[in-house]
Amino acid sequence: MKALIIGAGIGGLCLAQLLKKNGINVQIFERDSSPSERMQGYRLHLDADGISALQESLPNELFQLFEATSTNPLPYTTILDTGLKLNKRFPIDSYSKTEHHVESGVAKHLNVNRSTMREILLMDLDDVCNYGAKLESYKTDLNGVTAYFEDGRAIEGDLLIGADGTGSAVRKQRAPEANFMDSGARAIYGRIKTDQARKVLPDLCMADVFTAVSDVRKLILGVGPVIFPVRPEAAAQSLGINKSLSPQDDYLGCIVSGRKEFFGSTDQEIRKKTSDELQQLAVDLLSDWPSNAAAVPAAGEKDSFFYIEMTSSIPFTLQSHPNVTLLGDAIHTMTPSLGRGANVALRDAAILGKELIKVFRGEKKLAASLKEYEAEITAYGFDVVRKSAEKGTKLLGQDPLPC
Ligand SMILES: Cc1cc2nc3c(=O)[nH]c(=O)nc-3n(C[C@H](O)[C@H](O)[C@H](O)COP(=O)(O)OP(=O)(O)OC[C@H]3O[C@@H](n4cnc5c(N)ncnc54)[C@H](O)[C@@H]3O)c2cc1C
């Protein structure tokens, strides 16, 4: 069995690791020219979905490296008032709607540095990953799939997995009936070194999973720490593993988020802004709060700021297909109000991987496996999309999902 994965994001890489570990022939195709071509974001909060999926998928030493480089935050989402004084502290599982993890006894929370996690996910996949490979379309029949790339290549496989994110080319062909919506919410995202953050934020912000401050307009300042127990550059050696990771400093991810109307210009105009200009816009947005909240983005690292336009999928019924499927944001993009998109993408990867192992061992037919996988991930994934939208509407002024 030969699996073709489109997209070397978090979900696609996790699936590739699980398939490779089980001896399944897999190739992954990514449109970026290299893993470092573009800024991918900073802190990610991982819950039991994501952590368990990584444990199942990664070879043992890579999972050890992942754990060693992950922050163990206090399991709270904390709300401050606009004077930056403590208002409420919610247990993260009730805030993020992961109470079922607590009930099943597997509640876990880590804050991870996205680029460090991706470096780990990419380890030992040199023979599997193809960069500079943008999928344009595919052709399928009962015998298999041919994927066509922008550079003219045509690659054949037994099945195709669209792990190609919100704008998924695979989904556009596989499920043209799927609808995605502009959520109306926007954000400026950057990072602050912890020594600078300590000067402008209460200590709690260095400890809890995420801390948010919101005003009456639902304009939000949010911060989340990444404080490495062992610096990535030293982690492998400390575990006796013969690998290396890029050096990283401790920091807080910093997000200023709200309705697009607050940002004062069109998306097209804001996309052209430099990091310095976006940082200044974030400072201006917070300038009339009673505290010195504007000092928070002002303390951010130069060149770290970028603009995010938040999208949500609209839940729909996915018709089954014998050899093409979807995974992660490609099928169920959600706004980051619960911090669960990457977790659900990783969960999808582990579920699909386990199904494909059964097919590889001759225990199940491919079409039956894909049907079962899709039933499970659309039920769970779209439930999280709905819950993320509800929270996003309440807190961020996100447009509600259509009924
Ligand atoms: C500000 C922000 C904060 C977030 N915080 C959290 C958090 O704390 N916790 C959490 O769980 N989630 C979080 N998320 C959500 C999370 O980032 C996504 O859900 C996750 O990255 C989805 O993974 P994926 O593998 O499905 O897609 P992606 O990571 O988007 O990967 C898709 C890949 O496919 C590639 N690709 C696209 N088109 C093609 C093509 N035609 N051919 C080849 N390759 C292609 C892309 O270049 C990309 O590398 C956050 C999101 C945002 C915006």
Side-chain angles (χ1 to χ4, degrees):
M1 183 168 70
K2 182 177 178 187
L4 310 179
I5 302 175
I6 308 303
I10 287 169
L13 289 171
C14 181
L15 175 63
Q17 285 283 359
L18 180 54
L19 297 185
K20 188 175 176 191
K21 189 166 92 169
N22 284 279
I24 296 176
N25 183 358
V26 54
Q27 287 291 307
I28 183 159
F29 300 89
E30 166 58 47
R31 68 178 169 189
D32 291 348
S33 57
S34 78
S36 54
E37 184 189 299
R38 71 194 154 85
M39 201 130 34
Q40 304 248 353
Y42 306 115
R43 182 214 69 123
L44 271 181
H45 157 239
L46 290 194
D47 59 38
D49 280 336
I51 300 165
S52 307
L54 287 168
Q55 187 160 21
E56 284 163 359
S57 305
L58 290 173
N60 196 26
E61 67 170 24
L62 295 191
F63 185 71
Q64 280 179 30
L65 203 49
F66 159 77
E67 279 196 308
T69 52
S70 298
T71 310
N72 265 295
L74 296 177
Y76 294 100
T77 296
T78 295
I79 310 295
L80 306 181
D81 62 26
T82 50
L84 303 188
K85 299 276 179 296
L86 180 63
N87 181 353
K88 275 184 200 148
R89 227 167 158 211
F90 295 95
I92 179 88
D93 287 296
S94 61
Y95 188 88
S96 285
K97 312 273 182 218
T98 43
E99 296 99 332
H100 57 290
H101 292 167
V102 182
E103 280 157 30
S104 61
V106 291
K108 290 183 197 162
H109 297 278
L110 295 172
N111 277 0
V112 305
N113 180 40
R114 190 190 269 254
S115 68
T116 304
M117 184 169 94
R118 287 186 85 248
E119 277 184 47
I120 295 170
L121 280 167
L122 274 160
M123 282 177 174
D124 302 332
L125 291 185
D126 293 351
D127 55 335
V128 163
C129 265
N130 302 274
Y131 277 87
K134 182 177 181 193
L135 179 98
E136 286 204 320
S137 64
Y138 65 82
K139 205 173 72 192
T140 168
D141 59 35
L142 287 179
N143 297 318
V145 186
T146 309
Y148 298 97
F149 294 89
E150 195 181 50
D151 59 9
R153 274 184 287 173
I155 311 277
E156 291 181 356
D158 295 299
L159 84 149
L160 182 80
I161 298 127
D164 47 347
T166 306
S168 171
V170 179
R171 182 194 66 245
K172 285 176 188 156
Q173 189 173 342
R174 163 77 167 77
E177 71 278 20
N179 278 319
F180 278 51
M181 65 182 273
D182 173 3
S183 74
R186 300 289 184 269
I188 295 171
Y189 195 25
R191 55 185 228 172
I192 314 170
K193 292 218 168 116
T194 40
D195 54 345
Q196 297 302 313
R198 282 182 211 282
K199 296 179 190 164
V200 290
L201 282 163
D203 283 350
L204 213 59
C205 302
M206 313 296 151
D208 290 354
V209 170
F210 191 70
T211 303
V213 194
S214 170
D215 70 9
V216 285
R217 297 171 299 164
K218 302 183 180 174
L219 180 73
I220 289 188
L221 164 67
V223 291
V226 173
I227 299 178
F228 295 101
V230 188
R231 287 296 161 101
E233 61 273 28
Q237 207 186 356
S238 74
L239 292 166
I241 296 172
N242 186 21
K243 308 267 182 219
S244 66
L245 288 167
S246 306
Q248 299 287 342
D249 289 328
D250 294 341
Y251 69 88
L252 266 71
C254 166
I255 190 161
V256 175
S257 170
R259 287 288 314 171
K260 58 183 173 186
E261 293 77 14
F262 301 158
F263 290 74
S265 318
T266 64
D267 288 328
Q268 271 171 329
E269 286 163 342
I270 302 179
R271 277 180 220 138
K272 288 186 205 141
K273 287 189 189 289
T274 62
S275 167
D276 284 356
E277 289 166 340
L278 290 170
Q279 184 172 11
Q280 188 57 50
L281 180 53
V283 169
D284 294 345
L285 282 164
L286 302 177
S287 58
D288 57 358
W289 282 12
S291 58
N292 195 13
V296 177
E301 282 177 58
K302 198 172 162 44
D303 295 332
S304 73
F305 287 82
F306 61 94
Y307 184 56
I308 299 166
E309 297 156 49
M310 295 183 190
T311 304
S312 176
S313 54
I314 301 173
F316 70 104
T317 305
L318 181 67
Q319 301 304 319
S320 54
H321 190 287
N323 48 24
V324 178
T325 193
L326 297 160
L327 176 160
D329 276 11
I331 174 80
H332 45 53
T333 296
M334 55 197 77
T335 51
S337 46
L338 298 180
R340 291 188 61 194
N343 288 287
V344 183
L346 289 166
R347 181 181 181 276
D348 291 357
I351 295 171
L352 179 56
K354 281 185 276 185
E355 283 296 330
L356 296 179
I357 292 165
K358 288 182 206 159
V359 177
F360 180 61
R361 292 183 181 150
E363 295 162 12
K364 219 165 167 181
K365 293 270 182 245
L366 177 60
S369 271
L370 295 185
K371 193 171 178 183
E372 216 163 289
Y373 156 75
E374 287 175 358
E376 181 164 356
I377 65 117
T378 50
Y380 189 81
F382 285 140
D383 180 51
V384 188
V385 168
R386 287 190 193 91
K387 287 178 175 150
S388 297
E390 273 167 31
K391 185 74 101 190
T393 303
K394 203 167 145 198
L395 299 183
L396 281 178
Q398 171 182 343
D399 290 332
L401 292 177
C403 290

